[in-house]
Amino acid sequence: MRNEYAADLGLTEADLAVDWHTQFGRWFADAVAFGLPEPNAMVLGTADPAGRPSGRTVLLKGYDPQGLVLFTNHLSRKGVEASANPYASLVFPWFPMQRQVVVAGRITPVDRATTEAYFASRPRGSQLGAWASPQSAVVSGRAALEERYQQAAERFAEQTEIPAPPHWGGLRVQPESVEFWQGRAGRLHDRLRFRRLDEGGWTVERLAP
């Protein structure tokens, strides 16, 4: 299966914003305006201490010059790997727009106040799910999971506000590189990468497709 990319699209160095997060904001706004389903969905790649990788789709919940933020159960596979080997990749696969954004960088936890503020904004059902699900652990069946959910609902039945579980929180991927990928005809795609320099600051590089 093969789709030819449009010949009239492109990404030049002159098109780029002055920094990666401004450029990301532009493309993210384009993805929202395009009507992509869940444009904040991204593939998170982590690895265990032996270097064995794993990946999954998660949701971006915020970004700023310091990095891109997601939230998770710290006892899940990604949470454990992020703690043991604190580096990750992120891929935003905006295929209908013939675009991708690829991020690589170090993982750091967000502060507890940020976690609690975000958790308070979640629907109650999602809050109960965070308490009920031993994410990534083997469970005996769907019934066992639903029983845990019911137990959580009963536990917090009298509480208007449900606190964030102690094992749940935010992770920030602090970019060391951010690549903006635009599909082009003949597979001569445009790939422009912001790369953090060891001495500070950033450089922009064009990568061969």
Side-chain angles (χ1 to χ4, degrees), residues 56 72-82 134-137 167:
R56 74 290 291 157
T72 189
N73 184 323
H74 290 314
L75 303 180
S76 67
R77 180 173 182 177
K78 60 183 173 295
V80 171
E81 290 182 352
Q135 195 175 87
S136 300
H167 55 271

Side-chain angles (χ1 to χ4, degrees), residues 149-173:
Y149 185 92
Q150 183 58 36
Q151 290 172 348
E154 293 172 358
R155 174 181 177 183
F156 296 109
E158 303 301 321
Q159 295 182 222
T160 302
E161 297 182 1
I162 300 175
H167 55 271
W168 192 94
L171 299 175
R172 176 179 286 105
V173 178

Side-chain angles (χ1 to χ4, degrees), residues 116-201:
E116 291 173 350
Y118 170 69
F119 191 82
S121 74
R122 303 183 88 203
R124 189 175 181 87
S126 297
Q127 293 176 335
L128 292 173
W131 279 97
S133 176
Q135 195 175 87
S136 300
V138 175
V139 294
S140 60
R142 177 74 190 185
L145 193 59
E146 291 178 349
E147 181 180 356
R148 290 177 63 96
Y149 185 92
Q150 183 58 36
Q151 290 172 348
E154 293 172 358
R155 174 181 177 183
F156 296 109
E158 303 301 321
Q159 295 182 222
T160 302
E161 297 182 1
I162 300 175
H167 55 271
W168 192 94
L171 299 175
R172 176 179 286 105
V173 178
Q174 298 177 310
E176 295 175 356
S177 67
V178 184
E179 177 187 332
F180 294 89
W181 184 103
Q182 175 69 65
R184 296 294 299 272
R187 293 302 191 260
L188 289 179
H189 312 307
D190 287 321
R191 299 175 59 191
L192 296 181
R193 178 177 67 183
F194 287 86
R195 180 172 59 85
R196 186 189 296 273
L197 301 173
D198 292 340
E199 61 272 24

